């Protein structure tokens, strides 16, 4: 079968013929229908992911949607979404039975893949980890990216009173406006923190942060007393210089979020809720299907930014 293999840390991925995985206790064999490509795949490939992963060479891919071929638990033909640290970018993959999430009937396979890691990382930090209360003001850092776009929509759907989108590019700001953000702030502004305070004069209750680094440091003073940050990604830097006093004085609450760290039942519930929102037309995601054989080119494109469309590999 064909699979996308990362031969060694930092090397470009290759599409290769590899043996099919063997049946194993507690694991299903799943035939690939669609697999979303994510920044985390590149981080794992480059050897800079924060959780342990198998040694290279390895089959890449943290998530995929497929059809069960063999399992002691799931009926053959059942469509499922799978999340594991590696191994999903293959025509057939092995997946833990108890980690599979059902894909609702009628949901297109590529969309079902797109709403996985990227969708959940936009949805759960607002609705679950961020515990949005209707009427609150939400700021989305990195609003032009896929995660940020879902976060804007999750906040609006959850009843946010005001959503401010912060993005680096004009295209990202334009996408945020189309999705319904009440105000947009360019991160290239001389002082994006001041611009955020002007856009949210009563203060921000919740920051959904896909950037970290300088943008988050600049935006923290815009939080209200008791405000929350959900830390989702670090596209702008692995470290941030945060001034200590205002964190204490403002009773600021910084919460980490990772799809790899959430309980399976919570992931499954959020996936079902997000799938329903997509089916109902309440959440939109642009999806671009790429043949599995073109994965190396898609990988290079993901490295330079998605331009707003989720790249999904299809066999
Ligand atoms: N915690 C989790 O479970 C989880 C899950 C999924 C993703 N993530 C993380 O979330 C982040 C976003 O993922 P994504 O799928 O949305 O990626 P994406 O679609 O590729 O978007 C990345 C966004 O980051 C922006 N960006 C990149 N470097 C920047 C910088 N130096 N300053 C400001 N903006 C910058 C880009 O802005 P432009 O549009 O202007 O280029 C783009 O909008 C990534 O760090 C990813 O690893 C975390």
């Amino acid at each position: 079968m064909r699979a996308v293999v990362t031969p060694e840390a930092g090397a470009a991925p290759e599409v290769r013929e590899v043996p099919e995985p063997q049946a194993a206790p507690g694991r299903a064999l799943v035939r690939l229908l669609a697999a979303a490509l994510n920044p985390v795949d590149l981080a794992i490939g480059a050897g800079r992911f924060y959780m342990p992963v198998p040694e290279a060479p390895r089959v890449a891919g943290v998530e995929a949607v497929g059809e069960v071929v063999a399992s002691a638990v799931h009926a053959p033909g059942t469509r499922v979404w799978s999340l594991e640290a590696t191994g999903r970018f293959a025509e057939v993959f092995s997946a833990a039975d108890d980690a599979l999430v059902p894909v609702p009937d009628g949901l297109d396979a590529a969309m079902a893949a797109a709403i996985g890691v990227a969708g959940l990382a936009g949805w759960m930090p607002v609705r679950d980890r961020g515990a949005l209360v209707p009427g609150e003001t939400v700021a989305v850092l990195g609003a032009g990216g896929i995660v940020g776009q879902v976060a804007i929509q999750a906040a609006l759907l959850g009843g946010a009173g005001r959503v401010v989108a912060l993005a680096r590019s004009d295209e990202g700001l334009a996408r945020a406006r189309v999705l319904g953000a009440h105000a947009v702030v360019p991160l290239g502004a001389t002082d994006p923190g001041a611009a955020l305070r002007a856009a949210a004069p009563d203060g921000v209750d919740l920051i959904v942060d896909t950037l970290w680094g300088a943008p988050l440091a600049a935006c923290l003073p815009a939080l209200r007393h008791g405000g929350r940050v959900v830390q989702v990604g670090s596209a702008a830097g692995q470290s941030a210089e945060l001034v200590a006093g205002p964190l204490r004085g403002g009773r600021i609450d910084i919460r980490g979020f990772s799809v790899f760290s959430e309980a399976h039942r919570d992931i499954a519930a959020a996936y079902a809720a997000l799938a329903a929102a997509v089916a109902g037309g309440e959440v939109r995601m642009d999806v671009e299907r790429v043949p599995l054989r073109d994965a190396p080119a898609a990988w290079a494109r993901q490295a330079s930014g998605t331009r707003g469309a989720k790249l999904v590999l299809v066999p």
Side-chain angles (χ1 to χ4, degrees):
M1 67 165 188
R2 277 184 310 175
V4 180
V5 175
T6 42
E8 60 188 80
E14 297 167 4
V15 179
R16 289 187 188 167
E17 286 291 325
V18 300
E20 284 198 11
Q22 300 296 306
R27 298 190 68 83
L29 292 176
V30 184
R31 186 171 306 286
L32 179 72
L33 294 173
L37 178 61
N38 291 288
V40 69
D41 295 309
L42 279 64
I44 291 171
R48 51 178 171 76
F49 187 47
Y50 54 85
M51 291 171 80
V53 292
E55 289 292 312
R58 61 173 102 77
V59 175
V62 302
E63 68 168 323
V65 164
E67 217 170 50
V68 172
V69 178
S71 161
V73 178
H74 306 278
T78 308
R79 292 197 315 157
V80 290
W81 174 72
S82 163
L83 174 71
E84 293 189 17
T86 57
R88 292 353 32 217
F89 293 172
E91 285 172 321
V92 178
F93 58 88
S94 161
D97 278 318
D98 60 6
L100 292 175
V101 173
V103 171
D105 290 345
L107 184 63
D108 168 72
M111 181 60 84
I115 67 168
V117 168
L120 294 172
W123 182 267
M124 295 183 81
V126 174
R127 308 295 288 264
D128 300 292
R129 198 82 172 98
L132 175 71
V133 174
E136 286 189 326
T137 294
V138 178
V140 178
L141 300 195
I146 307 290
V147 171
Q149 292 176 46
V150 175
I152 291 169
Q153 298 175 84
L156 292 168
L157 197 55
R162 188 160 180 78
V163 177
V164 183
L166 298 96
R168 180 172 65 172
S169 62
D170 290 343
E171 295 78 10
L173 294 169
R175 285 195 286 274
R177 272 196 205 93
V178 168
L179 292 172
H182 299 100
V184 297
V185 169
L187 285 168
T190 317
D191 184 351
L196 175 55
R197 288 197 297 280
D202 296 331
V204 173
D205 298 285
L206 172 64
I207 293 178
V208 177
D209 171 38
T210 72
L211 299 177
W212 200 244
L216 178 70
C219 291
L220 267 181
L223 279 173
R224 266 187 194 157
H225 186 86
R228 330 187 276 291
V229 177
V230 180
Q231 207 314 289
V232 181
S234 43
Q238 287 301 317
S239 54
E241 199 169 318
L242 307 182
V243 181
L247 290 179
R248 299 194 296 273
R251 204 164 179 267
I252 300 306
D253 186 351
I254 301 182
R255 308 172 182 180
F257 171 85
S258 167
V259 286
F260 293 100
S261 303
E262 296 298 302
H264 173 68
R265 65 175 180 284
D266 296 334
I267 289 275
Y271 186 92
L274 178 53
V278 167
E282 294 159 320
V283 170
R284 283 185 286 150
M285 287 174 84
D286 286 340
V287 172
E288 182 179 337
R289 293 162 187 76
V290 179
L292 187 71
R293 64 175 178 276
D294 295 334
W299 191 279
R301 282 175 60 199
Q302 176 63 58
S304 63
T306 57
R307 309 287 177 270
K310 187 75 206 149
L311 298 175
V312 176
L313 305 175
V314 290

